[in-house]
Amino acid sequence: MTGGGAPMSELLHRFAERAGDYRADVRLCSQAELPGVLSGLLGKEVVLPQGVPPEWVAGLATIVDDGLSPADLDRPQLSVLTGCAVAIAQTGTLVLDGGPGQGRRLLTLVPDHHVCVVFAHQIVADVPDMFTALPDPTRPLTMISGPSATSDIELNRVEGVHGPRRLDIVCVIDK
Amino acid sequence: MTGSAQPRRVVALGMPRHATGPLAAPITAPEPFADAAARKLKDTQLRANLGHATRTIRDKRAAVVAEVDDWEALRDRAAAVKDDVIARLPELLARFASAATAAGATVHHAADAQQANDIVLGLVQAEQADRVVKVKSMTTQEIGLNEVLEAAGIAAIETDLAELIVQLAHDKPSHILVPAIHYNRSQIRDLFALRMPGFAADSDDPAQLAGAARRYLREQFLSAQVGVCGANFAVAETGSLVIVESEGNGRMCLTLPRTLIAVVGIEKLVPHMADLGDFLRLLPRSSTGERMNPYTSIFTGVTPGDGPQQLHIVLLDNGRGAVAADPVGKQALRCIRCSACLNVCPVYERVGGHAYGSVYPGPIGAILSPQLTGQQAGHNRSLPYASTLCGACYDVCPVKINIPEILVHLRQTGPKPLAERQLMSALSWVMRDRRRWKAALRAARAGSAPLRLMTRRRGHTLRRAPWPLSAWTAHRDAPLPAQESFRDWWRRTHE
Ligand code: SF4
């Protein structure tokens, strides 16, 4: 479901494939298609960090984080929508640094559903490139590769032990 | 011990000291390895679980390592970075301490387990907390922190699922990465039913068991005031800490409590943030066999409005300075605790982690525990013999620690029983002279002749020899001397 007829860059393709390997749900769309894709993914209650562009969520009921408590965020129907700072193709990893549109670390941790928007130009090839691409690596960094998981019981993979059990990634193909 | 105003720069490296005293117990084998191993070998359930687990992780690791073209170059670079750190420990520790302090953390230095525990206990008590939530940390296990907190009436709640299982069972971890590798699902269900408040799963489906742990621990996370963690890496340049995990329990402990205490071994340092690039490619692949683990947190001091507003970092020596002073053994400080060496070790696969009598099991445990405590401690001198020297551990180690070399080095430098020393010096006297050697061989052939007939069906090997040779044959077969020496054979057929 590529949009805009833009050729999918190799990095974007690899990122989407690798993030999918971790059982994150990955979608590709154009800038224009983004609000439609997001409204299809988000639930009834949506929390946003400060700095998410209003046009992404036009027409949706949203709560902007202004110091919500962990208990506020610990509600089953809640989705959180964020952007990211960098994404890593080789490992299918999202990197959040608390910058605009990403918010405090607990926002993407306590809710059960995380939707993250990645722009194609944010994708770097491998882990070492992340450190050069980040504006300031001393901000609190969270690297996310698929939903929370454990293999502690007889090595059976179980998803969603403590972090969000559902992770949706929307890749936006740049113009 | 120290305050943010004047961080103490004294690091216990000037006078290398081993980890000693009662608090060295978590890394001291209480009985000889061979005895513990002989008992564990009889546990067929354990061997089945271990065989399955180590095989699965081995295969996954091999597949994701094969994807990386420059794996060998990565290993070389990572080893070089760590060697540089070990050579410059005091300097890099000072740099780390001042960078972390500038970023809002309070840095403490602990020479041994006792000091580290005192510092952490004091901090928790100052917060008036009756419990702490913990991220899985080998370092806090090494110093026995949970026991110390519990003795002071503070509950230390392990939040990693496997660590929680082990804690509820009042048991000990048996693997660095999957500490509950020795439990199966129905054992876990029974345990939860017995010990987990509010447990309500009626099946032993792993997803249901994990769900029960999620509900139980979420209450703990949301109400805890103090979190305790270790660190996978500490960046000297920026004072940052790195925590690599899968479940999200780490992120919970790192973000929700208002105070966070990190206990960090001094060998965890890397000089620069950019060095992490290589290590974060090596560690998940070597450890769980994934390209990347689900969550990695990198944080630097305190961030206003995000996460704990008080961060204490306890830098722990506990024998590491002594290891750094050993020209061969110091390689062990490169270890990033990935556990790949456990999964390939034919000895570990059969006896499991408990046989090593230390929180550090397997090949890395065999070289680390005796070095941290000194070989005289408990039965740690028996650990360098817990190996066939096959070298599989060296091949997989992401930081290229030559484990067999250190094992041999420790065997050579370790204390030996009087009988062995006397035997060796007698042997050396015999072997120094050709005539003495020939005479000895002749005597051995004559002496063993009656046994040849008895051992005919077993390829002329002896299962049990009389004392004092029984010490040798207790754990191995002994071949009888050949009927003819090479020299005799050569003379007979060529001259
Ligand atoms: S010695 Fe090497 S293989 Fe073993 S745990 Fe340490 S880093 Fe991993």
Side-chain angles (χ1 to χ4, degrees):
Chain A
M1 94 172 239
T2 55
M8 228 195 303
S9 79
E10 202 182 309
L11 286 183
L12 177 64
H13 181 79
R14 170 159 294 183
F15 171 76
E17 173 206 309
R18 293 286 158 92
D21 279 358
Y22 290 121
R23 303 185 216 179
D25 275 315
V26 187
R27 286 171 179 72
L28 303 174
C29 72
S30 69
Q31 186 71 267
E33 291 165 333
L34 181 61
V37 172
L38 289 178
S39 79
L41 288 173
L42 291 163
K44 286 205 184 66
E45 287 186 73
V46 181
V47 169
L48 303 176
Q50 310 224 352
V52 168
E55 62 273 17
W56 288 8
V57 285
L60 289 179
T62 58
I63 312 157
V64 177
D65 172 44
D66 58 353
L68 294 168
S69 73
D72 292 334
L73 294 167
D74 186 28
R75 290 209 310 273
Q77 302 304 322
L78 207 69
S79 303
V80 60
L81 170 65
T82 71
C84 68
V86 173
I88 304 169
Q90 185 67 28
T91 56
T93 302
L94 302 165
V95 186
L96 277 66
D97 71 354
Q102 300 166 59
R104 300 182 293 154
R105 284 173 286 174
L106 62 86
L107 281 187
T108 53
L109 176 63
V110 180
D112 213 5
H113 182 206
H114 179 197
V115 181
C116 187
V117 176
V118 180
F119 288 89
H121 71 263
Q122 294 181 302
I123 303 173
V124 298
D126 207 343
V127 183
D129 308 305
M130 160 186 119
F131 290 100
T132 37
L134 285 169
D136 175 7
T138 66
R139 286 190 195 159
L141 303 179
T142 306
M143 303 169 67
I144 300 173
S145 310
S148 142
T150 185
S151 300
D152 281 347
I153 301 173
E154 295 182 6
L155 292 180
N156 283 294
R157 185 177 164 100
V158 175
E159 248 129 63
V161 198
H162 299 295
R165 281 182 274 208
R166 280 173 59 208
L167 174 64
D168 284 302
I169 300 175
V170 184
C171 298
V172 182
I173 297 154
D174 300 302
K175 283 278 151 56
Chain B
M1 268 183 79
T2 60
S4 49
Q6 232 194 355
R8 219 175 66 167
R9 293 280 188 278
V10 189
V11 176
L13 286 176
M15 275 270 273
R17 253 175 41 189
H18 288 299
T20 50
L23 281 166
I27 45 173
T28 305
E31 63 178 324
F33 174 81
D35 295 353
R39 214 172 40 247
K40 290 291 171 187
L41 276 172
K42 296 191 186 116
D43 186 341
T44 48
Q45 178 70 50
L46 175 75
R47 284 171 64 185
N49 288 4
L50 278 170
H52 167 65
T54 51
R55 212 174 316 117
T56 309
I57 307 176
R58 261 198 323 258
D59 293 348
K60 282 178 69 184
R61 175 200 166 273
V64 292
V65 165
E67 272 179 20
V68 182
D69 299 332
D70 58 341
W71 185 255
E72 288 308 314
L74 262 180
R75 292 175 75 207
D76 285 331
R77 280 207 300 273
V81 167
K82 280 292 186 181
D83 283 348
D84 174 45
V85 167
I86 297 160
R88 294 195 290 142
L89 264 178
E91 172 201 337
L92 292 175
L93 278 170
R95 183 169 307 172
F96 175 87
S98 64
T101 307
T106 307
V107 177
H108 311 256
H109 294 281
D112 56 22
Q114 170 96 49
Q115 283 186 12
N117 286 321
D118 288 348
I119 294 168
V120 177
L121 179 60
L123 291 168
V124 178
Q125 283 171 334
E127 290 292 313
Q128 302 188 318
D130 61 354
R131 67 211 150 90
V132 301
V133 283
K134 284 192 68 207
V135 190
K136 175 177 159 51
S137 142
M138 296 304 301
T139 313
T140 60
Q141 282 177 32
E142 174 189 323
I143 61 174
L145 176 65
N146 289 7
E147 291 73 16
V148 168
L149 290 177
E150 246 132 63
I154 297 160
I157 299 165
E158 291 291 351
T159 63
D160 172 82
L161 182 53
E163 291 287 352
L164 177 70
I165 293 166
V166 170
Q167 186 177 46
L168 290 175
H170 307 306
D171 193 1
K172 289 203 176 119
S174 62
H175 190 281
I176 294 179
L177 175 73
V178 260
I181 206 166
H182 55 300
Y183 284 88
N184 63 31
R185 60 180 80 187
S186 60
Q187 292 171 313
I188 296 169
R189 183 206 44 215
D190 297 346
L191 189 63
F192 281 11
L194 195 65
R195 304 250 165 85
M196 184 185 284
F199 176 75
D202 36 19
S203 93
D204 59 7
D205 172 34
Q208 291 225 23
L209 294 171
R214 175 188 173 100
R215 283 188 297 280
Y216 164 69
L217 286 173
R218 191 153 282 222
E219 278 170 42
Q220 308 293 335
F221 291 133
L222 292 182
S223 56
Q225 296 156 18
V226 180
V228 174
C229 65
N232 294 94
F233 305 99
V235 184
E237 168 189 46
T238 55
S240 315
L241 297 179
V242 183
I243 303 230
V244 174
E245 55 144 343
S246 294
E247 297 174 6
N249 62 307
R251 290 181 68 196
M252 290 279 180
C253 296
L254 302 179
T255 30
L256 295 179
R258 67 166 186 249
T259 298
L260 179 63
I261 304 168
V263 183
V264 182
I266 54 177
E267 84 286 15
K268 296 286 163 192
L269 285 170
V270 296
H272 305 289
M273 194 70 112
D275 296 321
L276 294 174
D278 285 340
F279 286 100
L280 291 178
R281 291 177 74 199
L282 286 165
L283 177 55
R285 286 185 171 87
S286 302
S287 181
T288 51
E290 295 169 299
R291 294 186 190 112
M292 190 51 82
N293 50 292
Y295 298 131
T296 297
S297 299
I298 305 178
F299 57 99
T300 309
V302 169
T303 307
D306 184 356
Q309 295 303 296
Q310 277 216 60
L311 172 63
H312 292 274
I313 303 172
V314 182
L315 295 171
L316 175 74
D317 186 311
N318 207 32
R320 287 162 176 76
V323 184
D326 183 314
V328 179
K330 68 180 178 185
Q331 294 173 70
L333 295 181
R334 291 182 198 155
C335 175
I336 56 174
R337 310 279 188 267
C338 71
S339 71
C341 57
L342 276 61
N343 299 327
V344 297
C345 179
V347 177
Y348 176 86
E349 184 175 341
R350 283 163 185 81
V351 302
H354 291 161
Y356 297 80
S358 161
V359 301
Y360 297 117
I364 179 61
I367 58 170
L368 196 58
S369 311
Q371 290 204 85
L372 287 175
T373 60
Q375 295 207 54
Q376 315 74 20
H379 287 276
N380 277 2
R381 66 178 174 279
S382 70
L383 294 176
Y385 295 85
S387 169
T388 63
L389 302 180
C390 75
C393 47
Y394 181 27
D395 289 343
V396 295
C397 177
V399 284
K400 261 192 157 162
I401 300 173
N402 191 335
I403 296 176
E405 182 189 15
I406 303 179
L407 288 166
V408 171
H409 169 69
L410 292 174
R411 291 180 188 185
Q412 282 166 347
T413 53
K416 289 181 194 61
L418 182 67
E420 184 182 330
R421 268 184 283 142
Q422 285 174 339
L423 184 70
M424 285 300 168
S425 64
L427 262 180
S428 127
W429 180 78
V430 170
M431 287 173 145
R432 261 200 308 266
D433 181 284
R434 194 157 71 83
R435 270 162 314 168
R436 287 201 286 260
W437 177 236
K438 261 177 85 175
L441 281 183
R442 225 177 298 119
R445 270 199 299 279
S448 64
L451 293 170
R452 295 199 70 79
L453 205 60
M454 282 164 53
T455 56
R456 187 174 31 132
R457 296 237 217 89
R458 272 190 260 118
H460 299 298
T461 56
L462 211 55
R463 285 272 168 81
R464 245 173 249 107
W467 190 88
L469 296 175
S470 56
W472 176 264
T473 53
H475 303 291
R476 28 176 125 57
D477 295 342
L480 294 181
Q483 271 173 308
E484 187 176 29
S485 77
F486 176 77
R487 279 172 182 280
D488 292 345
W489 170 81
W490 184 267
R491 204 172 296 118
R492 182 165 58 78
T493 54
H494 289 74
E495 282 172 10

